[in-house]
Amino acid sequence: MVPSARSQFILSIYSPYCSECHDDLFSGANDTRPVVRYRIDPGTTLLFHSTCFTGYKAGKQISNDLVSEVNFSQLYTEIGQDVAVLTAEIASSSGAPSPILENRLKLASLYGALWSRSQPETALSMLASAAAVSPLATELDRAIPSVAHRYLGNVYLDGIPLVLDPDRARAFDHFKRGRATDGEAAYQAALMRLKEGSGVEQNMDEGVELMLQAAQLGHLKGALTYASYCERGRHRPLDLEEALKWYSSAADRGSPLAHYKVGVLSLRGTPQ
């Protein structure tokens, strides 16, 4: 048995976020709003808000055969099917189950618990377990701990009613631990370091470095924010060439603001 083809991406990209703006794609298992799915190849699927996909595809030649709409209510059901398939695979495996297979099961189960918003204690336990990485994991599977730490950061940032009180210091710790491969974790850690009263000691230098790391990991808001720091000389020395570099990076992902900024800086004579 293998996971259903339509929900295969859940076990490969580990993220229910828009590939363009990095915000949540939906609000829960009963959310029936369509989301654009773009299958680049059989092993690579990207998900977008419809408005974000419009900006993403601008200037690109994308075949309509590779683009479709996803209904998350249906997809949520498929996640449950995948959990059953992976559980059966582990049960039928000879000897000790593969650590990688166990991690994939944790991820699929974790999404079910988180997306339903109905099993907070189970989800929290799974997150803590998934935050550990096996030395046998593939490069793709090593993304699991970073995603798990980002989710744990969000959990401790907001708390869970009747289960867990907010703890901003622990939230920041998890965001930092997830920043190695997860742009959203780096971005959230940067915001907490930069903002006074966020629950952690303000450190502008570290905050700027974390924002740069988010940009380097492809985080759109991280790139725009870091570019603005370079453009205005805020929190770091003025550097219009560096600003143009990161605005251009954001513009390549379809940001209208970034396109405007690239035009403005180019008119000033900033080197291309």
Side-chain angles (χ1 to χ4, degrees):
M1 294 185 295
V2 296
S4 57
R6 292 193 60 200
S7 57
Q8 183 70 242
F9 75 92
I10 288 184
L11 303 180
S12 63
I13 67 169
Y14 309 126
S15 181
Y17 290 92
C18 174
S19 295
E20 184 66 15
C21 72
H22 297 275
D23 286 340
D24 283 318
L25 281 166
F26 69 109
S27 59
N30 296 321
D31 193 335
T32 58
R33 293 174 297 171
V35 170
V36 173
R37 173 170 54 190
Y38 172 32
R39 290 187 181 280
I40 297 178
D41 56 54
T44 308
T45 300
L46 302 179
L47 299 179
F48 300 85
H49 295 107
S50 58
T51 53
C52 289
F53 185 71
T54 299
Y56 173 85
K57 70 177 182 179
K60 298 183 176 71
Q61 293 184 342
I62 296 177
S63 171
N64 291 332
D65 294 338
L66 302 177
V67 179
S68 60
E69 289 190 343
V70 180
N71 183 304
F72 272 107
S73 181
Q74 178 181 4
L75 189 58
Y76 178 76
T77 300
E78 294 177 0
I79 296 172
Q81 296 170 350
D82 286 348
V83 171
V85 167
L86 290 166
T87 301
E89 286 184 12
I90 288 179
S92 62
S93 62
S94 58
S98 160
I100 294 174
L101 190 61
E102 286 190 315
N103 266 346
R104 290 181 181 275
L105 175 61
K106 289 173 188 175
L107 241 314
S109 302
L110 170 61
Y111 280 130
L114 284 175
W115 289 2
S116 69
R117 309 294 202 267
S118 64
Q119 305 174 56
E121 291 176 310
T122 300
L124 185 62
S125 175
M126 288 177 178
L127 278 169
S129 179
V133 63
S134 164
L136 301 178
T138 65
E139 183 177 352
L140 189 59
D141 284 296
R142 289 180 182 277
I144 294 176
S146 289
V147 173
H149 280 302
R150 182 225 300 159
Y151 273 124
L152 281 166
N154 288 329
V155 167
Y156 281 107
L157 191 64
D158 300 327
I160 302 175
L162 305 179
V163 177
L164 187 74
D165 291 331
D167 187 330
R168 291 180 174 271
R170 292 188 71 174
F172 176 72
D173 178 64
H174 282 294
F175 285 140
K176 279 198 68 174
R177 292 169 70 181
R179 76 189 190 281
T181 60
D182 190 273
E184 177 67 15
Y187 179 73
Q188 292 298 332
L191 292 181
M192 293 191 76
R193 264 298 188 228
L194 291 165
K195 184 178 180 181
E196 188 176 3
S198 65
V200 297
E201 183 180 354
Q202 188 179 38
N203 185 318
M204 307 306 289
D205 290 340
E206 184 183 4
V208 171
E209 285 301 314
L210 287 166
M211 193 64 73
L212 172 59
Q213 187 172 12
Q216 291 170 334
L217 288 168
H219 195 279
L220 180 60
K221 292 181 180 177
L224 287 169
T225 303
Y226 186 74
S228 73
Y229 294 165
C230 297
E231 179 189 15
R232 299 175 347 189
R234 182 185 180 195
H235 307 322
R236 53 145 296 147
L238 180 73
D239 189 335
L240 296 183
E241 187 172 355
E242 188 76 359
L244 180 61
K245 169 185 173 180
W246 290 109
Y247 279 136
S248 297
S249 175
D252 288 342
R253 296 197 293 279
S255 166
L257 174 60
H259 279 288
Y260 168 76
K261 288 291 189 178
V262 169
V264 170
L265 290 177
S266 297
L267 286 173
R268 291 182 185 174
T270 303
Q272 295 272 353

